[in-house]
Every structure is written in structure tokens, then in C-alpha cells.
Amino acid sequence: MNITLLGSGNVATHLGLALKAAGHDIIQVWSRSEVNAVALAEKLGAQPISAISALNRSAELYLIAVKDDAIAELVSALPFPDLTIVHTSGSTSLSALAGVSSRIGVLYPIQTLSKDKSVNFKEIPIAIEANTESVANMLQTLAESISSKVIQLSSEQRVTLHMAAVFACNFTNYFYTVAQDILAKEHLHFDLLRPLIIETAQKVLAHDPSQMQTGPARRHDQHTVNKHLELLKADAVYAKLYDSLSTLIMDRYK
């Protein structure tokens, strides 16, 4: 399939590489930054462009992979009301593309992506949505060429999934940063926690997360909770975070 990629960030980079590896042709890469467009286009063997007016009509699919708050402005400038236009956002409704084209859809990879960290796209679930059966079939075939798990979701289901992903990924990563800050105050290295993090992740991969909860709050060990809160008294933000989470865990496991 001939594809034009609109975006040059983390999602655009990984999707472009996966699609190219699966035999698709990325014919153009657009980015507001000419430097970024050139950098990604070189990896994909595509033409870099930084002006919407330079887009050509030869693509079968125009794949938008930009920040959520940039989608509306971008699509309003697209001049292809009869061609297939798809975005990759987890939290943006399909209706954001309404009126842009008669053929619209969503292709959302359910994974945290960073440019410098390689991933196996075959293991990444992809959620798709479309306004017509024809577009849905196109996206199903395209997604199956790069992933072994493709699921059709409504916009409502997708935004719920995206919110759950924020809890499971983004918030969890922030907690790692909090832990790193706390350790650094006592000149302790974050490496000490890496085996614990790996074991925790492996357990929830194989078991119900609600059954894998451990720790002082799960045991209703108020003495230890109070000791930790005393250690955190100099940092009101972290103390409040610790207290709130401990209370939620205790309430769940009464």
C-alpha cells in the first residue's frame, strides 16, 4: 500500500518503520519541522515535505500521527475529501475527521513508544475504527500486516482503553520517578528496584492484578504506613500521594 505519513514523532517513527518492514511504501513524510521530516523520510525512503500544499494524491492512505491537540488544525488543511484519511490517537474521536473526507478511520497502536527504543510491532495490539465497511476492511488488512492482534473498537471504547493505559503506563512511570527521587536523597541507586519492578510486571502479565497486590496498605499495617509518612513529612506532595494511595488500597481490601 502507498502511504503518506503526517507526523515525525514517536508514533510516526515506529509506525513508519513497521509499515515499511511489512512491505508498504511510505511515499511522503510531512512535518512542520523540515529537519524532522528529512530525518524520518531518510529512514523510510520517502519524500520529506513541510508544506501541506506539497502533498500529492498518489497515496492510498494518509496516516496522521501528530499530537492530539494538533489534529484538528492539520485535518482542516487537508485537500483530499475523497481519499482515505486516518488518525492514530487513542483519545480522539473518529468524528474529529468528520467533514474532512468521505473515507475516515482510526489506527491506534496500544503501546508506549519512544524513538530510540525499538519495539516488536507484531506484539502490539492495534485498535481500528472506520466510517465505512470499505475503510474498515482496508485498516484491518493493513493492521494485520504489522500486528498479530487487531481489534475493532468504537471511539467510546478506545478513549476508555486509552485512559486505562494512562493509569497502567504513564502514572506507573511517574511513580518510578518518585521512587528515584526518594532514593536519591539517601544516595541510593534506582537499580536496587529494577528486579522488584520486573517481578511485579511479570506477575500481572500472568495473573489478575487485583490478586497480586502486596505491601503495608494491603496488609493493613498502619504502623509501617505511619513510619513512611513520617519519613515523607518534609515533602507534602509525596506524603499526600502516599497517604491517598494507601487509603484507597486499604478501602479496597477491607
Side-chain angles (χ1 to χ4, degrees), residues 162-173 176:
H162 186 263
M163 179 177 63
V166 169
F167 274 96
C169 173
N170 306 135
F171 289 168
T172 300
N173 192 78
Y176 296 154

Side-chain angles (χ1 to χ4, degrees), residues 196 200 203 209-219 249 253:
L196 174 65
T200 303
K203 285 198 295 186
S210 67
Q211 301 301 313
M212 295 297 103
Q213 186 69 50
T214 61
R218 174 65 178 86
R219 300 191 301 271
I249 293 171
Y253 297 96

Side-chain angles (χ1 to χ4, degrees), residues 28 44 47 51 60 95 99-100 155 167 191 203 215 242 250:
Q28 289 184 307
L44 302 176
Q47 175 195 11
E60 299 167 79
S95 64
V100 175
S155 289
F167 274 96
D191 282 352
K203 285 198 295 186
Y242 184 102
M250 287 182 177

Side-chain angles (χ1 to χ4, degrees), residues 26-103:
I26 312 299
I27 60 175
Q28 289 184 307
V29 172
W30 171 90
S31 174
R32 284 190 176 89
S33 165
E34 184 176 357
V35 172
N36 291 344
V38 169
L40 182 53
E42 286 181 349
K43 295 179 181 178
L44 302 176
Q47 175 195 11
I49 58 173
S50 57
I52 293 297
S53 59
L55 288 170
N56 64 46
R57 290 182 56 88
S58 60
E60 299 167 79
L61 175 70
Y62 293 81
L63 189 59
I64 299 169
V66 299
K67 292 180 180 178
D68 290 2
D69 58 7
I71 292 175
E73 180 184 355
L74 174 57
V75 299
S76 68
L78 294 179
F80 304 132
D82 56 332
L83 300 181
T84 306
I85 298 173
V86 172
H87 74 64
T88 58
S89 169
S91 62
T92 303
S93 172
L94 174 64
S95 64
L97 301 180
V100 175
S101 171
S102 59
R103 295 175 56 81

Side-chain angles (χ1 to χ4, degrees), residues 199-236:
E199 176 63 17
T200 303
Q202 288 177 338
K203 285 198 295 186
V204 300
L205 288 175
H207 302 280
D208 182 338
S210 67
Q211 301 301 313
M212 295 297 103
Q213 186 69 50
T214 61
R218 174 65 178 86
R219 300 191 301 271
H220 288 257
D221 181 355
Q222 192 65 54
H223 175 74
T224 299
V225 169
N226 291 341
K227 183 184 292 186
H228 290 169
L229 288 172
E230 178 67 19
L231 288 171
L232 290 170
K233 66 181 180 181
D235 193 321

Side-chain angles (χ1 to χ4, degrees), residues 183-196:
L183 290 171
K185 291 178 181 178
E186 292 296 329
H187 308 289
L188 296 170
H189 202 282
F190 187 73
D191 282 352
L192 293 168
L193 294 182
R194 294 188 194 277
L196 174 65

